[in-house]
């Protein structure tokens, strides 16, 4: 008997805000898009249109790691641009998975567990304690349930922009993570996480 063809894996996106921080991670599996060309002068556009009316636009194929691979990156493998917020986010995901305790429940037990894991992971990665302070992790955990409208607007705008690129196939979607920090730097960072 013939087996039905396998359905392609869906394109996925994980996004959220935790107080004054936000993130978006894309898992597009294999994505093909047409790169956007820089705007040119009118004379250049007319010349280009005359020379190649039926030219097929060049397409780029990009392979994305899964969200699980991106979220599971070891701290020792972090590049210089990976923000400490991502490490705190990993700790909160680990807390939720192992302790079944939602982020934002600032009990003494939860704080103790987070501090223990933070210290152990810093030692494993051979990173200085200042890179991810206990105060920063505690603050992110405390504010994890809070939704700040300006942070939601920024992250929502990025998500909307990426969805349009994915659906239209025009322009390169971020590859593969975006982090926003409204507290310390007021800037967003795009970072590749996971296997190359």
């Amino acid at each position: 008997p013939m087996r039905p063809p396998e359905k392609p894996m869906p394109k996925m996106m994980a996004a959220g805000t935790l107080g004054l921080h936000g993130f978006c991670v894309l898992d597009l599996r294999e994505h093909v898009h047409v790169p956007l060309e820089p705007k040119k002068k009118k004379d250049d556009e007319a010349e280009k249109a005359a020379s190649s009316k039926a030219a097929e636009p060049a397409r780029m194929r990009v392979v994305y790691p899964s969200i699980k691979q991106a979220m599971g990156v070891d701290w020792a493998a972090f590049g210089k641009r990976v923000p400490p917020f991502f490490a705190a986010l990993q700790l909160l995901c680990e807390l939720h998975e192992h302790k079944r305790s939602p982020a934002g429940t600032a009990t003494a037990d939860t704080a103790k567990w987070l501090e223990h894991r933070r210290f152990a992971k810093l030692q494993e990665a051979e990173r200085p304690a200042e890179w991810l302070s206990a105060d920063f992790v505690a603050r992110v955990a405390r504010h994890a349930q809070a939704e700040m409208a300006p942070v939601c607007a920024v992250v929502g705008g990025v998500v909307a922009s990426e969805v349009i690129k994915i659906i239209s196939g025009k322009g390169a979607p971020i590859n593969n993570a975006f982090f926003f920090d409204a507290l310390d730097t007021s800037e967003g960072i795009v970072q590749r996480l996971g296997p190359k």
Side-chain angles (χ1 to χ4, degrees):
M2 288 182 56
R3 289 185 355 189
E6 289 187 29
K7 292 182 181 177
M9 290 297 291
K11 298 177 186 293
M12 296 189 298
M13 182 183 299
T17 62
L18 289 84
L20 293 169
H21 294 87
F23 70 95
C24 172
V25 181
L26 276 68
D27 175 2
L28 305 182
R29 304 294 175 179
E30 187 176 300
H31 182 72
V32 178
H33 67 274
V34 176
L36 295 177
E37 293 182 17
K39 298 221 178 206
K40 297 183 179 181
K41 296 178 185 174
K42 288 186 179 181
D43 296 340
D44 292 343
E45 287 178 17
E47 187 179 302
K48 183 179 174 185
S51 65
S52 61
K53 284 193 175 186
E56 185 70 27
R59 295 182 175 275
M60 288 190 68
R61 179 182 155 272
V62 181
V63 177
Y64 283 71
S66 70
I67 290 176
K68 186 174 183 176
Q69 290 171 321
M71 292 300 291
V73 174
D74 188 68
W75 292 8
F78 281 8
K80 290 181 181 177
R81 294 193 64 220
V82 176
F85 166 68
F86 179 59
L89 180 62
Q90 283 182 318
L91 288 174
L92 291 175
C93 289
E94 215 177 295
L95 171 70
H96 179 68
E97 189 176 305
H98 294 309
K99 298 279 236 172
R100 304 288 181 216
S101 172
T105 54
T107 65
D109 185 45
T110 299
K112 189 184 217 180
W113 189 90
L114 283 171
E115 177 52 24
H116 171 74
R117 287 300 296 147
R118 179 193 77 87
F119 184 74
K121 289 187 86 160
L122 283 171
Q123 283 195 322
E124 287 171 20
E126 298 179 357
R127 291 203 174 248
E130 307 84 52
W131 180 75
L132 184 66
S133 72
D135 289 342
F136 180 78
V137 173
R139 185 175 65 211
V140 172
R142 237 185 354 262
H143 299 152
Q145 296 296 323
E147 291 183 0
M148 305 293 289
V151 177
C152 292
V154 170
V155 174
V158 169
V159 168
S161 173
E162 298 313 306
V163 167
I164 290 169
K165 290 181 205 172
I166 293 164
I167 292 171
S168 71
K170 294 180 182 174
I174 60 173
N175 189 1
N176 58 336
F178 168 79
F179 299 103
F180 179 64
D181 178 356
L183 186 62
D184 299 320
T185 62
S186 297
E187 64 183 16
I189 296 173
V190 174
Q191 182 69 45
R192 167 77 182 198
L193 298 171
K196 303 292 181 209

